[in-house]
Structures are given as C-alpha cells and as structure tokens.
Amino acid sequence: MTTEFDEKLNAIREKCLNCNKCPLGATKTKSVFSAGIPNSKIMLIGEAPGYYEDQKGEPFVGKAGQLLDKILASVGFSRERDIYICNTLKCRPPENRDPLPEEKAACREYLDAQLEILQPRIILLCGRIAATSFIDTNLGITKLRGKWYEGPYFSKMMPIFHPSYLLRNDSREKGSPKWLMWQDIKEIRRVYDMLE
Ligand code: URA
C-alpha cells in the first residue's frame, strides 16, 4: 500500500533525480537520493556521493560505506532494517572535492524535504561537511563529535567521524578516532533504545 508519506518522498526523489539546479547534474552518472528504510527513527547524513555511489545510485557503497555498515552492525543497526541514509549533496563532485557552497545551497531543498517528510528522532551528521551544514561553528569534527545538539523537528543530532577518516586512521587505541567512534555509536544506540 502506498501511503501519503511514500508519495511525498517519491515526488521529491523524482525531482531530485532530474535536477539540474547546479552543474553537478550534468557531470554525475546517477544521482544518489537515499538508502535504507524511510520509516526509521534514525537518519544518517553524509557528505556527497563518491565514485561507487555515483555509479550505483546508492549512498555509502564504497570502502567507507562498508566500514559504516560494520560500525552500524556493531550495535545491531542495519540499513535494511533500521536506518535511513542520505547525503548533503545528491550528485558527485568531480574528483571527490569538497562540495561548494553554491552546490550545497542548490541541493539543500532535497535534504530539507527528506527531513520534513521523515522527521527522524535522531540525526547522525557524518563528517565535517554534514556537521557544519547544521551547526554554525568553526570547530573541527574532532571537537564536535560525540555531543548531542538540538536538531530540526525536535530531533537529537550528533556529529560523528566520517568513515573515510577512520580508514586513514587505523589505530584502535584508547582515544584514537576508531575508539572514539565506538564510544559514539554505543551512546547513539543507548539513546535510540530509550525512544518511545
Ligand atoms: N561518502 C559520503 O559522505 N557519502 C557517500 O555516500 C559515500 C561516501
């Protein structure tokens, strides 16, 4: 059965897939709208599609995505069952460069619509680009991560390290990025389990 909720999401997805509001619409292979289940209480927002995501039309399917799935699985979350995943940009920036402010502004309409339709209770801001799209700060992700912020629609938002950063920092010692991520994901699971 298609609900009003599905219809709204499909309409915005359709618009996004045909978008040419910024030049990335012409250079992408596929736009990458979302993965995971829409009726979830938790949404993860990454940066932008990379090479594999652009090919497949799905977020977080490359190496970083595989690590993300492992991190989620370590506390029993899976994208098939529990979580909705999207990005600040829906099209791949060439050579995976940082999104430009005008690209973020052009694409914001889609992210805002996803948030308005889904109204997740928990939002995970994955990496600096996602975090600073919602939190007005000059602080880096190392300072921002692991703390709860008030998010849209009365949600709780937490910035977390981007899995690409963890791939470049292999140590698991106490205080290392991987160790900190493990603390954060456990805290996220704890708060998720308290949701009604
Ligand atoms: N990195 C991101 O931020 N998003 C993706 O979808 C893939 C890699």
Side-chain angles (χ1 to χ4, degrees):
M1 194 183 70
T2 312
T3 61
E4 188 191 343
F5 173 95
D6 294 324
E7 277 170 21
K8 280 191 189 160
L9 211 50
N10 285 341
I12 194 77
R13 175 194 288 272
E14 201 58 35
K15 184 170 177 199
C16 176
L17 299 189
N18 296 306
C19 178
N20 274 304
K21 282 169 71 186
C22 85
L24 299 183
T27 55
K28 64 154 199 285
T29 311
K30 287 187 177 167
S31 39
V32 177
F33 187 70
S34 68
I37 58 155
N39 61 339
S40 57
K41 294 182 192 159
I42 179 161
M43 178 189 280
L44 180 136
I45 305 175
E47 181 178 326
Y51 174 81
Y52 294 101
E53 291 77 20
D54 174 71
Q55 295 291 310
K56 197 163 177 208
E58 192 180 323
F60 284 104
V61 291
K63 271 203 168 147
Q66 288 159 21
L67 178 56
L68 176 65
D69 284 346
K70 277 193 196 159
I71 293 165
L72 295 172
S74 72
V75 291
F77 287 140
S78 87
R79 64 169 88 191
E80 288 78 28
R81 200 184 46 225
D82 309 297
I83 189 159
Y84 185 83
I85 301 178
C86 59
N87 281 309
T88 57
L89 285 197
K90 311 307 190 211
C91 293
R92 182 188 182 210
E95 311 303 326
N96 300 345
R97 62 155 169 73
D98 281 358
L100 301 175
E102 55 271 29
E103 293 162 352
K104 284 172 77 176
C107 216
R108 185 69 191 222
E109 156 187 7
Y110 303 115
L111 182 56
D112 282 344
Q114 287 170 311
L115 286 164
E116 189 188 342
I117 297 166
L118 299 172
Q119 302 202 4
R121 309 279 303 281
I122 294 177
I123 300 173
L124 305 181
L125 302 170
C126 192
R128 175 181 58 88
I129 302 283
T132 54
S133 298
F134 289 85
I135 302 165
D136 186 17
T137 178
N138 292 323
L139 294 176
I141 191 69
T142 306
K143 289 261 161 59
L144 294 170
R145 59 136 285 278
K147 298 185 188 78
W148 291 109
Y149 295 79
E150 281 177 26
Y153 307 103
F154 306 103
S155 60
K156 287 164 85 70
M157 271 184 331
M158 185 191 280
I160 56 173
F161 284 127
H162 195 285
S164 306
Y165 179 71
L166 301 177
L167 286 172
R168 297 193 297 270
N169 290 274
D170 209 36
S171 165
R172 285 167 192 273
E173 270 179 37
K174 192 169 178 185
S176 67
K178 276 197 171 154
W179 183 86
L180 292 169
M181 180 59 130
W182 172 231
Q183 312 312 305
D184 295 350
I185 199 71
K186 285 189 292 186
E187 164 65 7
I188 292 159
R189 181 75 220 200
R190 187 187 70 76
V191 169
Y192 178 91
D193 286 338
M194 290 191 329
L195 295 175
E196 280 140 31

